[in-house]
Amino acid sequence: MFQFIGNLAELYRGLESSNSPKLMKVPHIRSYLSDSNSIKESERKESLEHNPSLFHLHPAAVESNESNPEAKPTEVPPKVVGKILRFTGQKLEELKAHATDPNGGSWVSTFDSLCALLYQRVYQARIKYYANKKDSLSPPEFLTPVNLRAQDRLSELPSNYFPNALICHFTTLSHETLGNSPLWKVAKDIHELVRSGLISEQEAKKTLRWIEAQPDKGRVRMNFKGGNGSMMISSWAKFDMYVRFEEKPTLVSTPFTPISLIDGLGYILSTDSEDGSIDVNLALSEPLWEILEEDEQLRRFF
């Protein structure tokens, strides 16, 4: 999407000097493995024998909640509400300092510290809310997508690759870490996930070829379970849409819609502020917001 908007902006600028402007760098629109029909049967068989770390095959067609009573929650879940949290540049610096190992020897990014703060505070709010509920919490998994266009992730993809090129990584931290440990320990685990915990380029290739080789791709499932204990955060902050145009857009943001109002789903976005502020568009179960409104450990940073 961001590449498309950037290309569109370039074409509009080109109209000032030409009736038929051209892009300096045409986007690569051919999907990865789109020539899979040319793959030998022996290579396809080898791909199917791979055991990916992020996916598995569901043994049969997925049953709906209507045909699987055990999948239904014992209580009607509360509605999910989306809110925008503004973190100023100054508060982000304070947060990074607070989320850095006091013993030295490591560092954390703004993304690491923000994710750690939200992951831990939301987890503890959920513990409070579900303490007297019949429903239990799903595992506290944390998921974030990774852009495979980077040369150290899938070098076969050109930087102007247009189709989707994301793969999601996830981890699960213990109750002891999320419930009782200082923030820097959570941030350190997030940091390790997005730095050293990523699958290798070779594993990424094998995984994508494994998916492509499946005769029934509808059976492919992520190992990430999701649920009412999970967090899913994607950072769009580096796609600074406010500097791509001569006139700043009024607002660049992800909307809250029925398909994006998922409990625990958040987006980190750049803002038009010049002080380094960041917005987090976060969707949570409504009762959690009531608990977080009183959470001083969260509110001290925004």
Side-chain angles (χ1 to χ4, degrees):
M1 180 181 71
F2 295 104
Q3 184 183 159
F4 170 75
I5 294 175
N7 289 338
L8 192 61
E10 182 182 342
L11 290 174
Y12 272 111
R13 293 189 188 101
L15 288 172
E16 296 177 357
S17 57
S18 172
N19 290 327
S20 56
K22 299 183 183 299
L23 293 172
M24 293 292 291
K25 193 172 185 180
V26 178
H28 182 97
I29 61 174
R30 193 175 182 83
S31 297
Y32 184 68
L33 298 181
S34 59
D35 59 346
S36 59
N37 290 334
S38 63
I39 297 177
K40 296 179 181 179
E41 190 59 34
S42 58
E43 295 175 331
R44 189 177 298 276
K45 182 178 180 181
E46 182 181 352
S47 295
L48 289 171
E49 292 174 351
H50 179 60
N51 183 25
S53 59
L54 299 176
F55 298 89
H56 68 276
L57 285 181
H58 194 279
V62 178
E63 297 181 350
S64 67
N65 284 353
E66 286 70 23
S67 60
N68 182 12
E70 293 183 1
K72 290 185 178 181
T74 56
E75 298 181 6
V76 177
K79 69 176 182 178
V80 176
V81 175
K83 292 189 178 184
I84 300 175
L85 309 180
R86 170 66 61 95
F87 294 83
T88 66
Q90 178 182 345
K91 290 296 184 180
L92 288 172
E93 289 301 320
E94 294 177 11
L95 174 59
K96 284 176 65 175
H98 186 62
T100 299
D101 185 348
N103 301 312
S106 64
W107 61 276
V108 293
S109 67
T110 299
F111 176 80
D112 300 330
S113 54
L114 259 180
C115 288
L117 177 69
L118 296 171
Y119 190 17
Q120 186 172 54
R121 303 325 304 164
V122 170
Y123 174 77
Q124 294 190 14
R126 284 169 166 162
I127 291 296
K128 286 184 179 180
Y129 176 69
Y130 282 96
N132 299 314
K133 300 292 181 181
K134 294 181 180 179
D135 288 327
S136 58
L137 274 176
S138 65
E141 296 175 308
F142 174 84
L143 175 145
T144 188
V146 174
N147 186 0
L148 290 178
R149 292 176 182 84
Q151 287 301 302
D152 60 341
R153 291 173 185 159
L154 193 57
S155 57
E156 294 177 7
L157 297 184
S159 59
N160 59 333
Y161 183 78
F162 186 76
N164 184 26
L166 299 177
I167 193 165
C168 292
H169 287 71
F170 55 91
T171 189
T172 303
L173 300 189
S174 67
H175 170 76
E176 178 62 29
T177 299
L178 290 171
N180 303 310
S181 295
L183 181 65
W184 67 264
K185 288 191 175 181
V186 182
K188 186 175 183 179
D189 286 341
I190 298 294
H191 179 88
E192 291 176 354
L193 170 69
V194 299
R195 299 304 186 291
S196 59
L198 304 182
I199 61 173
S200 66
E201 179 172 2
Q202 182 180 18
E203 173 65 14
K205 289 180 180 180
K206 288 183 177 181
T207 297
L208 294 176
R209 291 186 178 277
W210 175 84
I211 294 174
E212 189 282 326
Q214 296 302 322
D216 181 4
K217 294 178 178 59
R219 293 177 56 200
V220 176
R221 296 288 184 275
M222 287 190 64
N223 292 336
F224 176 75
K225 299 179 179 62
N228 61 2
S230 64
M231 286 289 293
M232 301 153 283
I233 299 181
S234 176
S235 179
W236 294 13
K238 290 186 178 179
F239 301 104
D240 194 349
M241 299 305 299
Y242 289 100
V243 300
R244 290 176 181 256
F245 305 95
E246 286 76 9
E247 297 292 333
K248 284 186 178 182
T250 302
L251 177 66
V252 179
S253 182
T254 54
F256 291 113
T257 66
I259 62 171
S260 66
L261 285 172
I262 301 173
D263 187 13
L265 177 61
Y267 296 90
I268 299 175
L269 305 165
S270 58
T271 70
D272 62 350
S273 174
E274 297 181 357
D275 70 350
S277 294
I278 279 178
D279 282 344
V280 177
N281 287 20
L282 182 61
L284 290 174
S285 176
E286 189 172 32
L288 299 182
W289 285 118
E290 298 173 6
I291 298 173
L292 292 173
E293 286 290 337
E294 306 299 325
D295 187 341
E296 294 181 359
Q297 293 300 314
L298 174 63
R299 297 197 63 82
R300 63 182 286 195
F301 293 112
F302 74 94

